[in-house]
Amino acid sequence: MKKFWKAMNDFLKNIISQTGNVIFFFKKKEIKREKINKILIISLYFRGDVLFNTVAIKMLKKIFPDAVIDVMVKSRSKEVPEGNPNINRLIVFDDIKTADYNDNPELKLKEKISLLKKIRKENYDLCIDFTGKYSTALIALIGGFRYSLGLNYNGFGFCYSKLVNINTQNTKGLLSEKYLNTLKEGLGINESEWLKLNTGFDNNCEIFLSPAEMSAAENKLNSLNLNPDKPLVCIQVTAGWKAKEWNEKNYSSLISELIYTDHEFVLIGSDDDKEINYKILDAVSPDLRKHFLSLPLKINAAIIKMLDLFIGSDSIGLHLAGAVGTPSIGLFGPTNPDFSNPNGDIHKVIYKKLTCSAGDSSQYCTRDAGKSCPDIECMRNISTGEVLENAEFLLNKYFNQKKLLLEKIKVLHISPDSVIHGTERHILSILKYSDREEFEHSVVNSKTEGIFGKDSRALYKLIKEGKFDIVHSHLNSYGGIIAKLAGAPAVVHTRHGVFWSEDELNKISFTEKYFQKLKSKMFDMTIALGEYEKKTLTEKFNYDEKKIASTINGVDIDDINAGVNKLKTKKELFGTDEDIIVGLVGRLEKQKGFDYLLDAVSLIKDKIDGIKFVIIGNGSLKDELIEKRNRLGLEDKILFIEYKKNILDYVYNFDMMDLTSLWEGLSYAVQEAMALSKPVIALTSPNVSGVKEIIVNGETGYLIESDYVNELGKYILVLSKDINRRLKFGRAAKERESEFFPEWRTASDMENVYRELYNTKFRNGKF
């Protein structure tokens, strides 16, 4: 009977597929990548599946570095991608059935229609359906996408521009690799290009944890009074369905042995798991109930990251261990570990394969993933002794190595100035949020202009005698070169910008390109501020992708808003309380492009009653700019103000901000304005503008890529006449700044770079 229904199901799929292909033949078309700027990913399965999708999202951002990527998830999974810098925003939608269990069976037609309307308004260029159900395929069909690609198991492949014929459940290999292959095949990427894309690519899943989440996890662990000198083991006893779970008595026995052999442990799960965890703990001792932690997913992930070993079934906990790099022991039975166990030698598998177990190309066993199995013999055959033996092996290898690495990593930062400019703010962000138990930071101010000067000799001596593990030079590359000559084990250099305009970059000489690349070879890692700068360095100067990483200039929204004196008024600061204030902040130098603003205001001067322009800053071009303002007859419209220490009071009283720079990285001025809920109009260009990473065109402000003077004037008038749009953009700007550019991320990104370099040197015997 089972074979009959399977045959009927296959027959119906075939009929649906053939009929759909005839009716919707026009949907099939080649996906032209150059036309893709906005992407929607549909990922509506469970938390583990969404985590596996993060690898493909990371690759997608590498393929389309300039594209906006939105992801549709269910509320049960939204914690997984939250805070992911590759994702623009999450669309949470629960009213659609995508699984045979733990899902919403109601039709919810009104809600689905509302969702489709919202999607169509977004004008996405590409939809990628990683869910592969008929319901998600129909979204791809009628969602107004230029192109779509996806997996499908229900005969609805006709809904996509490109159907990728990969059945993730019945094709050999890791699920995350299959989602990558979906991109490769769907986007028509050839082997040569795919090999290049995978060079230096980290194919591990990702989850991004904030300092608040790490702190919450640390506080929870501290409340248990665990001994940090003992190995700390994290256990998850539950899984997506009962058949995947190991025997309760075995877990009780395991915990008893861990206690006996001087290990610390915690159990993690949700409130729904409390009863079974208490039962397991009570079998050892009722006093152990406090060791069960019922916490949100990301705090559980932070717990796993802090501990030394994870033990559990094929579950979200195991997958999180892979994402955060904690050694693990995966207990597999009705599911195939080749599909979902984390990558790497630090992750061990215990799998008792039986005649009914999954074949090499099947994710699930022949007994409906264990759901129809009477005894789950495959899980019963896993012994406590085997788990302990694997635990001992991993802890001996990695816990002891971790203990050796407990000595603080010493980092010396070479700052180009003692005055606080953007570079110095960046260094302070690293110092502010860096883990002081893991890193010891020192900062030296060196105005080094060459490698033979007095400052250079002093710096050489300091590095030689200071025994720093890592020297990090900022802005001025000579400091990094001196560090290399002084024998520093690892040298990092952050450029803090690409200091050429678009025209200059396109005309740059071969000699200059060669010199820049030669300097980069001196460093173990070059840091780019943002993906645009990274793209410029790799494409224009042929920097080695393996030796370049990116971070951000982040800001602390709470600190910025707390630093504003809200009693200050427009009247007090600008001499008017009625005009709309269009503000600009920056050094009065060529780079900042203030001429564009003056020309734009001159162009629209007959339409700017009730608008006042304020330029705040010092610089060598001040007299020249004031003379031009006067010549254009704009004395009453454009006000020049010296730079102020309380600059945030002024920005708070702007109605909008303009940025007219010829080249600019991840501008602090723009981010402060966005943190204060101000929309921003910014000039930009294809290669040298990081503001495109900060501002979302038409949502938080406007980006102008050509016809600068006319377009700048146009959008100044658009925003000045529409207070509702200004307020809407301002709210969205603050939300975006909070989610994607928090100050702590600067430190987190750099800590990852420092750790990787330190561990590489350690493995090579340097330490």
Side-chain angles (χ1 to χ4, degrees), residues 2 7 20 41-42 51 81-82 161 176 275 299 304 393 450 455 477 628 641 655 681 705 709 731 734 742 758 763:
K2 192 173 182 179
I41 294 172
I42 302 176
L51 191 61
E82 279 179 345
S161 307
S176 57
E275 183 179 346
I299 298 179
I304 294 170
F393 172 81
D455 282 354
S477 60
K628 180 174 181 177
I641 299 176
D655 292 287
I681 303 171
E705 293 197 345
V709 172
R731 286 192 297 269
K734 185 175 181 179
Y758 186 87
R763 286 195 297 270

Tab-separated table of all heavy atoms in Angstrom, residues 2 7 20 41-42 51 81-82 161 176 275 299 304 393 450 455 477 628 641 655 681 705 709 731 734 742 758 763:
chain	number	residue	atom	x	y	z
A	2	LYS	N	1.965	1.223	0.781
A	2	LYS	CA	2.860	2.379	0.848
A	2	LYS	C	3.472	2.691	-0.518
A	2	LYS	O	3.583	3.847	-0.928
A	2	LYS	CB	3.964	2.103	1.880
A	2	LYS	CG	4.783	3.316	2.250
A	2	LYS	CD	5.727	2.994	3.390
A	2	LYS	CE	6.523	4.220	3.791
A	2	LYS	NZ	7.452	3.957	4.915
A	7	ALA	N	3.686	5.839	-5.572
A	7	ALA	CA	3.554	5.893	-7.030
A	7	ALA	C	2.504	6.923	-7.442
A	7	ALA	O	2.696	7.674	-8.406
A	7	ALA	CB	3.195	4.512	-7.569
A	20	GLY	N	2.219	22.679	-15.555
A	20	GLY	CA	2.784	23.982	-15.203
A	20	GLY	C	3.825	24.453	-16.197
A	20	GLY	O	3.869	25.631	-16.546
A	41	ILE	N	15.483	35.823	0.033
A	41	ILE	CA	15.691	34.401	0.282
A	41	ILE	C	14.524	33.885	1.115
A	41	ILE	O	14.171	34.490	2.133
A	41	ILE	CB	17.016	34.152	1.029
A	41	ILE	CG1	18.200	34.528	0.136
A	41	ILE	CG2	17.142	32.707	1.487
A	41	ILE	CD1	19.529	34.501	0.852
A	42	ILE	N	13.932	32.774	0.685
A	42	ILE	CA	12.839	32.160	1.441
A	42	ILE	C	13.399	30.955	2.186
A	42	ILE	O	13.852	29.988	1.577
A	42	ILE	CB	11.686	31.735	0.513
A	42	ILE	CG1	11.152	32.943	-0.276
A	42	ILE	CG2	10.558	31.096	1.323
A	42	ILE	CD1	10.068	32.600	-1.288
A	51	LEU	N	20.067	27.845	9.827
A	51	LEU	CA	21.501	27.935	10.127
A	51	LEU	C	22.330	27.397	8.959
A	51	LEU	O	23.352	27.990	8.587
A	51	LEU	CB	21.816	27.157	11.405
A	51	LEU	CG	23.216	27.352	12.000
A	51	LEU	CD1	23.446	28.808	12.396
A	51	LEU	CD2	23.416	26.448	13.203
A	81	PRO	N	19.236	34.110	12.218
A	81	PRO	CA	19.901	35.096	11.348
A	81	PRO	C	19.960	36.508	11.918
A	81	PRO	O	20.547	37.386	11.285
A	81	PRO	CB	19.038	35.057	10.078
A	81	PRO	CG	17.665	34.718	10.579
A	81	PRO	CD	17.850	33.839	11.788
A	82	GLU	N	19.350	36.761	13.073
A	82	GLU	CA	19.371	38.112	13.628
A	82	GLU	C	20.812	38.581	13.859
A	82	GLU	O	21.640	37.855	14.387
A	82	GLU	CB	18.598	38.164	14.955
A	82	GLU	CG	17.094	38.265	14.762
A	82	GLU	CD	16.339	38.294	16.084
A	82	GLU	OE1	16.944	37.952	17.115
A	82	GLU	OE2	15.146	38.643	16.073
A	161	SER	N	12.363	30.773	-12.548
A	161	SER	CA	13.137	31.000	-13.771
A	161	SER	C	14.113	29.849	-13.971
A	161	SER	O	14.380	29.423	-15.090
A	161	SER	CB	13.933	32.310	-13.670
A	161	SER	OG	13.111	33.391	-13.335
A	176	SER	N	24.410	22.094	3.921
A	176	SER	CA	24.944	23.426	3.629
A	176	SER	C	25.625	23.461	2.263
A	176	SER	O	25.532	24.457	1.536
A	176	SER	CB	25.920	23.869	4.719
A	176	SER	OG	26.975	22.936	4.862
A	275	GLU	N	10.820	19.056	31.939
A	275	GLU	CA	10.438	17.808	32.610
A	275	GLU	C	11.452	16.698	32.365
A	275	GLU	O	11.912	16.034	33.307
A	275	GLU	CB	9.048	17.367	32.148
A	275	GLU	CG	8.545	16.116	32.858
A	275	GLU	CD	7.151	15.709	32.408
A	275	GLU	OE1	6.467	16.525	31.745
A	275	GLU	OE2	6.745	14.565	32.707
A	299	ILE	N	21.411	32.926	23.485
A	299	ILE	CA	22.154	32.827	24.746
A	299	ILE	C	22.636	31.391	24.935
A	299	ILE	O	23.740	31.155	25.436
A	299	ILE	CB	21.294	33.316	25.926
A	299	ILE	CG1	20.942	34.796	25.710
A	299	ILE	CG2	22.042	33.144	27.248
A	299	ILE	CD1	20.089	35.412	26.773
A	304	ILE	N	27.246	27.605	24.639
A	304	ILE	CA	28.004	26.573	23.922
A	304	ILE	C	29.381	27.101	23.537
A	304	ILE	O	30.390	26.401	23.651
A	304	ILE	CB	27.224	26.106	22.668
A	304	ILE	CG1	25.938	25.388	23.088
A	304	ILE	CG2	28.078	25.177	21.805
A	304	ILE	CD1	24.983	25.109	21.941
A	393	PHE	N	39.057	12.123	24.489
A	393	PHE	CA	39.957	12.424	23.375
A	393	PHE	C	39.903	13.909	23.013
A	393	PHE	O	40.940	14.582	22.888
A	393	PHE	CB	39.582	11.580	22.155
A	393	PHE	CG	40.327	11.965	20.906
A	393	PHE	CD1	41.616	11.502	20.680
A	393	PHE	CD2	39.754	12.814	19.969
A	393	PHE	CE1	42.314	11.875	19.532
A	393	PHE	CE2	40.439	13.189	18.825
A	393	PHE	CZ	41.730	12.714	18.609
A	450	GLY	N	58.519	57.663	7.462
A	450	GLY	CA	59.436	56.820	6.705
A	450	GLY	C	60.063	55.818	7.641
A	450	GLY	O	59.789	55.818	8.839
A	455	ASP	N	61.495	58.772	14.962
A	455	ASP	CA	60.320	58.071	15.473
A	455	ASP	C	60.357	56.593	15.096
A	455	ASP	O	59.962	55.726	15.878
A	455	ASP	CB	59.030	58.702	14.928
A	455	ASP	CG	58.666	59.981	15.665
A	455	ASP	OD1	59.342	60.295	16.647
A	455	ASP	OD2	57.698	60.642	15.246
A	477	SER	N	51.003	53.029	6.866
A	477	SER	CA	51.513	51.663	6.721
A	477	SER	C	52.968	51.505	7.161
A	477	SER	O	53.425	50.389	7.390
A	477	SER	CB	51.382	51.205	5.265
A	477	SER	OG	52.121	52.044	4.405
A	628	LYS	N	33.155	81.726	-2.563
A	628	LYS	CA	32.258	81.204	-3.595
A	628	LYS	C	30.811	81.366	-3.172
A	628	LYS	O	29.959	81.732	-3.990
A	628	LYS	CB	32.569	79.726	-3.863
A	628	LYS	CG	31.669	79.111	-4.925
A	628	LYS	CD	32.091	77.697	-5.286
A	628	LYS	CE	31.185	77.118	-6.366
A	628	LYS	NZ	31.594	75.772	-6.798
A	641	ILE	N	30.176	77.229	10.173
A	641	ILE	CA	30.429	77.220	11.610
A	641	ILE	C	31.708	76.442	11.867
A	641	ILE	O	31.935	75.382	11.279
A	641	ILE	CB	29.254	76.567	12.381
A	641	ILE	CG1	27.956	77.356	12.162
A	641	ILE	CG2	29.561	76.449	13.873
A	641	ILE	CD1	26.738	76.718	12.822
A	655	ASP	N	17.576	68.767	10.286
A	655	ASP	CA	16.407	68.030	9.782
A	655	ASP	C	16.837	66.934	8.821
A	655	ASP	O	16.116	65.954	8.632
A	655	ASP	CB	15.441	68.995	9.092
A	655	ASP	CG	14.798	69.947	10.079
A	655	ASP	OD1	13.920	69.502	10.845
A	655	ASP	OD2	15.201	71.124	10.108
A	681	ILE	N	21.344	62.342	2.652
A	681	ILE	CA	21.520	62.336	1.200
A	681	ILE	C	23.022	62.306	0.944
A	681	ILE	O	23.759	63.164	1.441
A	681	ILE	CB	20.912	63.590	0.546
A	681	ILE	CG1	19.422	63.716	0.882
A	681	ILE	CG2	21.108	63.551	-0.972
A	681	ILE	CD1	18.815	65.044	0.439
A	705	GLU	N	24.450	58.690	-7.604
A	705	GLU	CA	25.614	58.101	-8.276
A	705	GLU	C	26.042	58.867	-9.521
A	705	GLU	O	27.082	58.578	-10.090
A	705	GLU	CB	25.323	56.639	-8.629
A	705	GLU	CG	25.175	55.741	-7.407
A	705	GLU	CD	25.302	54.273	-7.744
A	705	GLU	OE1	25.225	53.933	-8.938
A	705	GLU	OE2	25.483	53.467	-6.820
A	709	VAL	N	25.093	67.498	-9.009
A	709	VAL	CA	24.523	68.804	-8.641
A	709	VAL	C	23.008	68.803	-8.794
A	709	VAL	O	22.268	69.186	-7.872
A	709	VAL	CB	25.170	69.920	-9.481
A	709	VAL	CG1	24.455	71.248	-9.241
A	709	VAL	CG2	26.652	70.048	-9.154
A	731	ARG	N	13.569	57.256	11.267
A	731	ARG	CA	13.343	56.080	12.125
A	731	ARG	C	14.039	54.860	11.550
A	731	ARG	O	14.679	54.076	12.271
A	731	ARG	CB	11.832	55.820	12.259
A	731	ARG	CG	11.108	56.804	13.165
A	731	ARG	CD	9.706	56.325	13.472
A	731	ARG	NE	8.868	56.232	12.289
A	731	ARG	CZ	8.098	57.211	11.819
A	731	ARG	NH1	8.071	58.385	12.457
A	731	ARG	NH2	7.360	57.049	10.746
A	734	LYS	N	17.868	55.017	12.104
A	734	LYS	CA	18.290	54.654	13.461
A	734	LYS	C	18.218	53.144	13.662
A	734	LYS	O	19.121	52.535	14.252
A	734	LYS	CB	17.411	55.363	14.491
A	734	LYS	CG	17.863	55.140	15.928
A	734	LYS	CD	17.039	55.973	16.908
A	734	LYS	CE	17.524	55.764	18.340
A	734	LYS	NZ	16.756	56.592	19.296
A	742	PRO	N	26.630	48.326	15.092
A	742	PRO	CA	26.897	48.570	16.510
A	742	PRO	C	28.398	48.639	16.756
A	742	PRO	O	29.189	47.950	16.112
A	742	PRO	CB	26.285	47.345	17.199
A	742	PRO	CG	26.372	46.261	16.170
A	742	PRO	CD	26.150	46.949	14.847
A	758	TYR	N	46.880	34.491	15.811
A	758	TYR	CA	47.572	33.950	16.977
A	758	TYR	C	47.567	32.429	16.948
A	758	TYR	O	48.592	31.780	17.187
A	758	TYR	CB	46.891	34.470	18.244
A	758	TYR	CG	47.608	34.091	19.534
A	758	TYR	CD1	48.635	34.879	20.037
A	758	TYR	CD2	47.250	32.951	20.236
A	758	TYR	CE1	49.288	34.548	21.211
A	758	TYR	CE2	47.901	32.605	21.407
A	758	TYR	CZ	48.912	33.401	21.894
A	758	TYR	OH	49.552	33.060	23.053
A	763	ARG	N	49.994	27.150	16.180
A	763	ARG	CA	50.066	25.813	15.569
A	763	ARG	C	51.382	25.614	14.837
A	763	ARG	O	51.871	24.504	14.708
A	763	ARG	CB	48.889	25.625	14.596
A	763	ARG	CG	47.558	25.416	15.294
A	763	ARG	CD	46.545	24.878	14.320
A	763	ARG	NE	46.275	25.799	13.242
A	763	ARG	CZ	45.325	26.735	13.287
A	763	ARG	NH1	44.584	26.861	14.370
A	763	ARG	NH2	45.114	27.530	12.274
